[in-house]
Amino acid sequence: MRPQFAAVVDSATARPGIEERLAALVRIPTVSAEWDVTGSRPFEDLIGLLAELYPLVHEHLACERIGELGLVYSWGGPPSAEPGVVSTSSTSGSPESSAEPGVDAVVLMAHYDVVPVTGQEAEWTVPPFEGRIADGYVWGRGALDDKGALCVLLEAVENLLAEGWTPPRPVLLCFGPDEEVHGATAKLIAQTLRDRGVRPWLVLDEGGAITEVPFPGVSGAFAMVGLAEKGVMTVELSAAGTGGHASAPTGLTAVGRIARAVARLNRNPFDVRMPRTVVSLLAALAEHAEPTYQRLWRLAARNPRLAARLLVAGGGADGAALVRTSLAPTMMAGGSSPNVLPSRATAMLNIRVNVGETTAGVVARLQRVIADPQVIVRVVEGDEPTPESSSDNAQWALLAAAVEAGYPGVAAIPYLTTAATDGRHWHRFTPEVYRFMPLYVSTSDRAGIHGRDERVAVDSLVRGERVYRALLQGLPE
């Protein structure tokens, strides 16, 4: 059942119709994985729609492209483009430019591409790109991931501009077109702005949300704010074999060798390791737990094995992912015919590397566990886990206060982001990177992210706009 959040006490006015504007964004199928089919047209259509929906943003903020479709809106001091940077101005009117963004800049991020729905359309209650508003929700692909966050951020800026408010320090709105395909645009934006001297005071991207935690002895909704994120790897296992007729097999085939390797990996999960972020999470759970569980969660913060048992007991696979590197075989291939011995077989592994470990260490462990020199381990792509941001600083206090403005009584607690976000590219340049979208996501609604029937409550959009507005208004000089 959806929780009843306390009413928001706010004298400021906001434009009505936030749900209609998000629905309009949802109707444009910006599926980055289908670029080879659609090309840039849906993305250009969405960029054009942003100018229509948010006229004050496009009148008062400088907007440039970094890469083909990466958008950077600059408020309070736009960075000047340098020779060699692929960028074009899409600014109308006279941008407000008062200072060069430097160490005090604030970077607020979102992405406007979505994952495919191919093969799922018949399973959706509402067509995925209809953008229907019904039963208090906006339905459709991207409503949560991540056009909902994009929408509430732009709504907050538009409303503040309507009030004549300007930020006390430079604010950069950075929007990517290829997050869902692990594209390079966000990395290019981060590097380009860094080269211009931007040293963010705060970076905020998607990650956690307002949600109920599934852990024992803790009830109610919390703002799960990611302090770090796990690394991500795609690893190929391959083995060669002697071809021939299947009626005369010559021992272990290439398919059998790969199957054995995968079985060994599944039987030998990675060791439990608790990053500082998870220790902070456990301490927060102890603070908000029922009295009988408070001592247990405090003990868990000092005992990785107990922590693992409690997190798995409550959160299942999600809980386990907080304390160890996870490995999932996702694809296998080999052979050309049922009666022909395969000359080659492969398996693809998706690995999420725990904070405190490295991609090189993961490869060494895979080889050790597989224990077969004829199985070749190849890293197709890999990003290291990020450093861990603090939950004891002015940035965290600002985020917690902003959450309170939109969701009174909801506490912010630290969280380890197990999925990859565009925000990871900023961790090379600043320690203060956080992952949180100010939208309520129930357990059932969470299944819609990358699944069917994705939707977001209209009330969450209204509250999310309040969170971003409070965050911006709370920025120190």
Side-chain angles (χ1 to χ4, degrees), residues 3 10 58 77 116 137 183 195 213 216 220 284 290 297 366 387 440 457 459 474-475:
D10 191 347
H58 289 79
Y137 288 87
D195 291 345
V213 296
E290 301 169 7
W297 283 113
L366 295 179
Y440 170 71
D459 178 65
L475 290 174

Side-chain angles (χ1 to χ4, degrees), residues 229-233 353-355 357-362 382-387 424:
E229 66 182 72
K230 299 173 79 172
V232 59
M233 300 176 69
V353 186
N354 199 5
V355 172
E357 300 182 12
T358 65
T359 56
V362 167
D383 281 325
E384 302 293 340
T386 71
R424 71 188 186 277

Side-chain angles (χ1 to χ4, degrees), residues 454-465:
E454 186 174 352
R455 64 181 188 173
V456 63
V458 174
D459 178 65
S460 290
L461 298 174
V462 173
R463 292 177 181 274
E465 185 274 340

